[in-house]
Amino acid sequence: MHADREAGRPFGVPDLTGHARHAQLADRLGFAALRLRDVPPYDSVRFGDPGSVFETFTHLGHLAAVTENAVLGADAVVLPLRGPLLVAKAAATVDVLSGGRMLLGLASGDRPVEYPLFGRDCETRGTAFREGVLPHFPTPADRPSLAATPGAARPWRKRSSREASG
C-alpha cells in the first residue's frame, strides 16, 4: 500500500511498467499461453485473492499487440454479469488482433455478492448463462478457441466435453 501511494497509484492498482517486457519475454521463451482472470469487481479483502483490476479484453488487446506466439486466454468470463453479445464481440476482436490466438473461457459465476452490483439475479445465473451461450458463441467444432467452454455450469459439462472431442 505504501509503495502504491509513493508511486501515485491507488491502492491495489498494479505497476504495469514492465508488463509488456515480461509478456514479450514469456512469448520469446516459448510459454504456451498468457492468461488473465476475469474478476468483475476487484475485492481482495472479501475474496482473499487479487483477481484483476483491469478490464480483461482491453488488457488482452494490449498483450496481442506486444506478443506474437502465445495463446491469449481469458479465464472464466462471468457471462451472466456481462452482455453476451459484447463478450462475443470483444473476444472476436482480440482473436483478430492476435492473429487467432484468443482462448475464451466462460463461467456462470460463483460469487453471489457480485450479482446485485450488476443488477442481476444470482439464482437465475445458470439460465442466463445458457441463454447467453447458445446464440452468441460457436461450438468447439466450429471454432475451438472461441467456443463456450463452461466450467461451473454443470448441465453443460457433458455437452462441452462431447462437442470438444469432435
Side-chain angles (χ1 to χ4, degrees):
M1 186 158 82
H2 184 66
D4 291 338
R5 281 198 201 129
E6 283 183 6
R9 289 187 314 272
F11 173 69
V13 176
D15 178 4
L16 291 180
T17 55
H19 186 71
R21 189 176 72 252
H22 290 124
Q24 290 168 331
L25 177 61
D27 194 44
R28 278 194 314 274
L29 290 173
F31 279 68
L34 302 172
R35 299 174 71 134
L36 301 177
R37 273 184 67 210
D38 183 52
V39 179
Y42 176 76
D43 188 346
S44 63
V45 174
R46 183 177 294 161
F47 298 125
D49 59 354
S52 180
V53 174
F54 301 110
E55 196 282 320
T56 301
F57 294 105
T58 305
H59 197 164
L60 287 169
H62 171 70
L63 292 176
V66 300
T67 62
E68 297 176 10
N69 301 303
V71 168
L72 304 174
D75 290 340
V77 173
V78 183
L79 198 61
L81 296 183
R82 295 174 168 260
L85 185 58
L86 292 177
V87 169
K89 181 178 181 178
T93 300
V94 173
D95 194 54
V96 169
L97 292 173
S98 69
R101 295 183 289 136
M102 177 70 200
L103 179 64
L104 178 62
L106 300 173
S108 60
D110 64 350
R111 296 177 174 178
V113 70
E114 292 176 343
Y115 284 81
L117 297 172
F118 290 86
R120 305 287 164 78
D121 178 29
C122 182
E123 296 302 315
T124 61
R125 70 185 186 272
T127 300
F129 179 86
R130 288 186 293 279
E131 289 173 354
V133 167
L134 286 174
H136 301 296
F137 296 92
T139 67
D142 297 330
R143 182 67 167 84
S145 66
L146 291 179
T149 53
R154 288 186 194 103
W156 287 81
R157 284 190 183 149
K158 279 186 182 174
R159 175 181 178 253
S160 65
S161 62
R162 181 179 63 246
E163 289 180 1
S165 64

